[in-house]
Amino acid sequence: LVGDAREYLHFVGADSLHHRNAAIRNSSSQSPSAVAVQDYTTMTLTHVVLLKWKPGTPDSAVEPGLKKLEQIPLTETYILSYRIGKDLCVGRTKMNHDVAVVAEFATEDDYHRYATAGKHLDAVDLLKPHLMHRHAVQTHAREWATPCSQRTTPSNKRVFAALVCGVVLGRLLARR
């Protein structure tokens, strides 16, 4: 947060994401920095966890905990997106973690609800004895690329027209 926005949020007592959103929405006159904060706070909270098992840990030892994690989004409607995946062993596999979890939440309160939920804590208890490393981050990540499902594919006519223009331009330049 920039200085003016930080002072504004402190002044209105906005100490959580939910309170910051409410304070900004209820403000009658918004400074430019407060508007910037509003744009920032409307992004989803992304929670990323990387898990590395102790050497020699068989898949069968961690499957019960992973199954519990996979069940959480089926009943918890406050989770916007939830993905779990095992390492594909591509690249420098000795450096890679074994499992990644990526979850998205609308608010910090929703994330805290997930982190303290009984189902989540049960899964953590099952996985903890097998963990060598756990790395996590919670962030307001921006979408820098358009999701594939929202991309428009160029029509064949446009692709062909671009190809013809390229060929014509290439021949003109070759004559010089």
mmCIF file of all heavy atoms in Angstrom, residues 23-44:
data_model
loop_
_atom_site.group_PDB
_atom_site.id
_atom_site.type_symbol
_atom_site.label_atom_id
_atom_site.label_comp_id
_atom_site.label_asym_id
_atom_site.label_seq_id
_atom_site.Cartn_x
_atom_site.Cartn_y
_atom_site.Cartn_z
ATOM 1 N N ALA A 23 -14.875 0.024 4.248
ATOM 2 C CA ALA A 23 -14.501 1.415 4.508
ATOM 3 C C ALA A 23 -14.391 2.196 3.206
ATOM 4 O O ALA A 23 -14.842 3.335 3.113
ATOM 5 C CB ALA A 23 -13.178 1.471 5.271
ATOM 6 N N ILE A 24 -13.819 1.580 2.200
ATOM 7 C CA ILE A 24 -13.651 2.280 0.928
ATOM 8 C C ILE A 24 -14.998 2.455 0.238
ATOM 9 O O ILE A 24 -15.306 3.519 -0.278
ATOM 10 C CB ILE A 24 -12.655 1.530 0.032
ATOM 11 C CG1 ILE A 24 -11.253 1.663 0.644
ATOM 12 C CG2 ILE A 24 -12.661 2.067 -1.384
ATOM 13 C CD1 ILE A 24 -10.230 0.750 0.037
ATOM 14 N N ARG A 25 -15.838 1.420 0.267
ATOM 15 C CA ARG A 25 -17.163 1.527 -0.357
ATOM 16 C C ARG A 25 -18.007 2.593 0.331
ATOM 17 O O ARG A 25 -18.771 3.288 -0.316
ATOM 18 C CB ARG A 25 -17.882 0.184 -0.301
ATOM 19 C CG ARG A 25 -17.471 -0.780 -1.380
ATOM 20 C CD ARG A 25 -18.444 -1.942 -1.464
ATOM 21 N NE ARG A 25 -18.563 -2.648 -0.203
ATOM 22 C CZ ARG A 25 -17.801 -3.682 0.161
ATOM 23 N NH1 ARG A 25 -16.879 -4.121 -0.643
ATOM 24 N NH2 ARG A 25 -17.966 -4.267 1.322
ATOM 25 N N ASN A 26 -17.863 2.736 1.658
ATOM 26 C CA ASN A 26 -18.688 3.670 2.410
ATOM 27 C C ASN A 26 -18.123 5.083 2.429
ATOM 28 O O ASN A 26 -18.744 5.990 2.952
ATOM 29 C CB ASN A 26 -18.868 3.181 3.852
ATOM 30 C CG ASN A 26 -19.669 1.896 3.889
ATOM 31 O OD1 ASN A 26 -20.478 1.637 3.010
ATOM 32 N ND2 ASN A 26 -19.428 1.080 4.892
ATOM 33 N N SER A 27 -16.944 5.283 1.884
ATOM 34 C CA SER A 27 -16.324 6.597 1.863
ATOM 35 C C SER A 27 -17.034 7.472 0.838
ATOM 36 O O SER A 27 -17.238 7.079 -0.302
ATOM 37 C CB SER A 27 -14.841 6.458 1.508
ATOM 38 O OG SER A 27 -14.291 7.724 1.277
ATOM 39 N N SER A 28 -17.413 8.695 1.245
ATOM 40 C CA SER A 28 -18.122 9.568 0.314
ATOM 41 C C SER A 28 -17.174 10.211 -0.691
ATOM 42 O O SER A 28 -17.535 10.446 -1.833
ATOM 43 C CB SER A 28 -18.897 10.638 1.075
ATOM 44 O OG SER A 28 -18.007 11.380 1.882
ATOM 45 N N SER A 29 -15.952 10.537 -0.279
ATOM 46 C CA SER A 29 -14.991 11.107 -1.224
ATOM 47 C C SER A 29 -13.744 10.240 -1.203
ATOM 48 O O SER A 29 -13.115 10.085 -0.162
ATOM 49 C CB SER A 29 -14.656 12.542 -0.840
ATOM 50 O OG SER A 29 -14.029 12.576 0.409
ATOM 51 N N GLN A 30 -13.412 9.682 -2.342
ATOM 52 C CA GLN A 30 -12.278 8.762 -2.416
ATOM 53 C C GLN A 30 -11.073 9.474 -3.009
ATOM 54 O O GLN A 30 -11.172 10.080 -4.069
ATOM 55 C CB GLN A 30 -12.623 7.552 -3.274
ATOM 56 C CG GLN A 30 -13.701 6.699 -2.687
ATOM 57 C CD GLN A 30 -13.982 5.503 -3.577
ATOM 58 O OE1 GLN A 30 -13.428 5.374 -4.657
ATOM 59 N NE2 GLN A 30 -14.854 4.627 -3.127
ATOM 60 N N SER A 31 -9.963 9.383 -2.303
ATOM 61 C CA SER A 31 -8.712 9.900 -2.853
ATOM 62 C C SER A 31 -8.226 8.909 -3.902
ATOM 63 O O SER A 31 -8.619 7.745 -3.896
ATOM 64 C CB SER A 31 -7.672 10.051 -1.746
ATOM 65 O OG SER A 31 -7.266 8.778 -1.296
ATOM 66 N N PRO A 32 -7.351 9.342 -4.812
ATOM 67 C CA PRO A 32 -6.840 8.414 -5.832
ATOM 68 C C PRO A 32 -6.175 7.186 -5.220
ATOM 69 O O PRO A 32 -6.311 6.089 -5.728
ATOM 70 C CB PRO A 32 -5.831 9.254 -6.620
ATOM 71 C CG PRO A 32 -6.264 10.668 -6.411
ATOM 72 C CD PRO A 32 -6.870 10.699 -5.045
ATOM 73 N N SER A 33 -5.455 7.369 -4.108
ATOM 74 C CA SER A 33 -4.792 6.212 -3.501
ATOM 75 C C SER A 33 -5.808 5.265 -2.881
ATOM 76 O O SER A 33 -5.609 4.060 -2.861
ATOM 77 C CB SER A 33 -3.756 6.657 -2.465
ATOM 78 O OG SER A 33 -4.367 7.485 -1.504
ATOM 79 N N ALA A 34 -6.930 5.795 -2.389
ATOM 80 C CA ALA A 34 -7.965 4.912 -1.844
ATOM 81 C C ALA A 34 -8.600 4.097 -2.954
ATOM 82 O O ALA A 34 -8.928 2.934 -2.766
ATOM 83 C CB ALA A 34 -9.031 5.734 -1.116
ATOM 84 N N VAL A 35 -8.747 4.701 -4.126
ATOM 85 C CA VAL A 35 -9.287 3.966 -5.263
ATOM 86 C C VAL A 35 -8.316 2.850 -5.644
ATOM 87 O O VAL A 35 -8.723 1.739 -5.939
ATOM 88 C CB VAL A 35 -9.557 4.906 -6.457
ATOM 89 C CG1 VAL A 35 -9.935 4.116 -7.697
ATOM 90 C CG2 VAL A 35 -10.653 5.902 -6.101
ATOM 91 N N ALA A 36 -7.008 3.140 -5.593
ATOM 92 C CA ALA A 36 -6.009 2.111 -5.894
ATOM 93 C C ALA A 36 -6.110 0.968 -4.905
ATOM 94 O O ALA A 36 -5.984 -0.192 -5.271
ATOM 95 C CB ALA A 36 -4.604 2.712 -5.872
ATOM 96 N N VAL A 37 -6.357 1.286 -3.630
ATOM 97 C CA VAL A 37 -6.516 0.237 -2.618
ATOM 98 C C VAL A 37 -7.741 -0.591 -2.930
ATOM 99 O O VAL A 37 -7.723 -1.801 -2.825
ATOM 100 C CB VAL A 37 -6.617 0.855 -1.202
ATOM 101 C CG1 VAL A 37 -7.003 -0.208 -0.197
ATOM 102 C CG2 VAL A 37 -5.305 1.505 -0.828
ATOM 103 N N GLN A 38 -8.829 0.052 -3.376
ATOM 104 C CA GLN A 38 -10.038 -0.684 -3.705
ATOM 105 C C GLN A 38 -9.756 -1.681 -4.821
ATOM 106 O O GLN A 38 -10.168 -2.826 -4.750
ATOM 107 C CB GLN A 38 -11.136 0.280 -4.136
ATOM 108 C CG GLN A 38 -12.464 -0.410 -4.377
ATOM 109 C CD GLN A 38 -13.555 0.583 -4.676
ATOM 110 O OE1 GLN A 38 -13.289 1.736 -4.976
ATOM 111 N NE2 GLN A 38 -14.781 0.134 -4.585
ATOM 112 N N ASP A 39 -9.019 -1.261 -5.851
ATOM 113 C CA ASP A 39 -8.674 -2.183 -6.927
ATOM 114 C C ASP A 39 -7.855 -3.344 -6.393
ATOM 115 O O ASP A 39 -8.048 -4.484 -6.779
ATOM 116 C CB ASP A 39 -7.881 -1.475 -8.020
ATOM 117 C CG ASP A 39 -8.736 -0.480 -8.783
ATOM 118 O OD1 ASP A 39 -9.973 -0.582 -8.709
ATOM 119 O OD2 ASP A 39 -8.151 0.397 -9.425
ATOM 120 N N TYR A 40 -6.924 -3.063 -5.474
ATOM 121 C CA TYR A 40 -6.060 -4.088 -4.906
ATOM 122 C C TYR A 40 -6.862 -5.076 -4.067
ATOM 123 O O TYR A 40 -6.687 -6.269 -4.165
ATOM 124 C CB TYR A 40 -4.981 -3.422 -4.057
ATOM 125 C CG TYR A 40 -4.136 -4.383 -3.268
ATOM 126 C CD1 TYR A 40 -3.121 -5.095 -3.890
ATOM 127 C CD2 TYR A 40 -4.354 -4.591 -1.917
ATOM 128 C CE1 TYR A 40 -2.333 -5.981 -3.186
ATOM 129 C CE2 TYR A 40 -3.575 -5.473 -1.207
ATOM 130 C CZ TYR A 40 -2.568 -6.174 -1.849
ATOM 131 O OH TYR A 40 -1.799 -7.054 -1.145
ATOM 132 N N THR A 41 -7.784 -4.560 -3.262
ATOM 133 C CA THR A 41 -8.482 -5.422 -2.326
ATOM 134 C C THR A 41 -9.594 -6.231 -2.974
ATOM 135 O O THR A 41 -10.127 -7.120 -2.346
ATOM 136 C CB THR A 41 -9.064 -4.607 -1.147
ATOM 137 O OG1 THR A 41 -9.940 -3.621 -1.671
ATOM 138 C CG2 THR A 41 -7.957 -3.977 -0.341
ATOM 139 N N THR A 42 -9.962 -5.938 -4.203
ATOM 140 C CA THR A 42 -11.007 -6.727 -4.841
ATOM 141 C C THR A 42 -10.453 -7.993 -5.486
ATOM 142 O O THR A 42 -11.213 -8.812 -5.958
ATOM 143 C CB THR A 42 -11.767 -5.903 -5.897
ATOM 144 O OG1 THR A 42 -10.824 -5.396 -6.838
ATOM 145 C CG2 THR A 42 -12.546 -4.780 -5.257
ATOM 146 N N MET A 43 -9.126 -8.136 -5.530
ATOM 147 C CA MET A 43 -8.542 -9.360 -6.058
ATOM 148 C C MET A 43 -8.764 -10.493 -5.065
ATOM 149 O O MET A 43 -8.876 -10.272 -3.874
ATOM 150 C CB MET A 43 -7.039 -9.173 -6.269
ATOM 151 C CG MET A 43 -6.702 -8.243 -7.401
ATOM 152 S SD MET A 43 -4.937 -8.144 -7.659
ATOM 153 C CE MET A 43 -4.465 -7.060 -6.341
ATOM 154 N N THR A 44 -8.789 -11.708 -5.577
ATOM 155 C CA THR A 44 -8.937 -12.857 -4.690
ATOM 156 C C THR A 44 -7.650 -13.105 -3.923
ATOM 157 O O THR A 44 -6.570 -12.712 -4.348
ATOM 158 C CB THR A 44 -9.280 -14.123 -5.494
ATOM 159 O OG1 THR A 44 -8.234 -14.385 -6.415
ATOM 160 C CG2 THR A 44 -10.604 -13.979 -6.214
#
